[in-house]
Amino acid sequence: MTARWLLWPALDATLLALLALLWWQPPVRWAPPEPALPAIDEVRLVADAAPASAAAAARARPLFWSSRRPPPPSEAGSAQALPLAQAKLLAVLEGDAQRIAIVRFPDGHTARIATKPGADGWRLAAFDGRTARFERPGGGSVSLRLEAAPAAAAKPPAKAVAPASQAKPASSKDKP
């Protein structure tokens, strides 16, 4: 018991001596590293980083501007090559200033046609609630009827589980 009692003061005295030794040591100062000159051979100019065509495309369509224009349509996969008469009218969305029709072509390609003429030339001219009429500036006109989605097969109702018996078990107080 006495050995343990003497251990704590001896440990405190040792720690106090170490702290006093650290206090009187000369301070260690941080020194900045020596400056190094850059290797000129490794420097790459920013103008060489991207081709000029990419920079021109970025200037034509700035990324974060509200007036950013979509990319010009490609000729190969545009909806212009597909006949609008064979398309199926999926929906017509109406906003404050514009209507947009969503149509699906037989090959599965989906397109949006607005009240303003788009890249393919078609525009939504009228919509009466069931039929949408599309016009082209060249004089073409197509009407598509909005079709209801096929009803999903109704699942048969699950078998109703009989409710558990509502009867209370007889208690000893109820018995005469």
Side-chain angles (χ1 to χ4, degrees), residues 21-47:
L21 181 67
L22 288 174
W23 184 267
W24 284 300
Q25 289 292 325
V28 178
R29 302 267 183 209
W30 177 80
E34 293 294 321
L37 295 174
I40 300 297
D41 297 337
E42 296 176 9
V43 175
R44 185 175 173 197
L45 297 177
V46 175

Side-chain angles (χ1 to χ4, degrees), residues 24-168:
W24 284 300
Q25 289 292 325
V28 178
R29 302 267 183 209
W30 177 80
E34 293 294 321
L37 295 174
I40 300 297
D41 297 337
E42 296 176 9
V43 175
R44 185 175 173 197
L45 297 177
V46 175
D48 297 339
S53 61
R59 281 191 302 272
R61 298 178 54 239
L63 186 61
F64 295 110
W65 284 15
S66 62
S67 64
R68 179 179 174 168
R69 296 181 306 276
S74 64
E75 296 298 325
S78 70
Q80 183 176 4
L82 300 172
L84 187 61
Q86 295 177 359
K88 183 182 276 188
L89 182 62
L90 298 178
V92 177
L93 308 171
E94 295 187 40
D96 292 335
Q98 185 174 348
R99 288 182 180 163
I100 297 175
I102 301 175
V103 295
R104 178 175 290 146
F105 293 97
D107 68 347
H109 173 74
T110 304
R112 294 177 296 184
I113 301 174
T115 53
K116 298 176 183 175
D120 56 355
W122 289 103
R123 74 177 189 90
L124 177 60
F127 180 67
D128 65 2
R130 292 295 284 167
T131 305
R133 187 169 47 88
F134 301 96
E135 293 179 350
R136 196 176 226 168
S141 176
V142 173
S143 293
L144 295 177
R145 185 164 174 77
L146 185 63
E147 299 176 14
K155 293 181 181 178
K159 289 185 177 181
V161 178
S165 175
Q166 298 285 336
K168 294 181 184 177

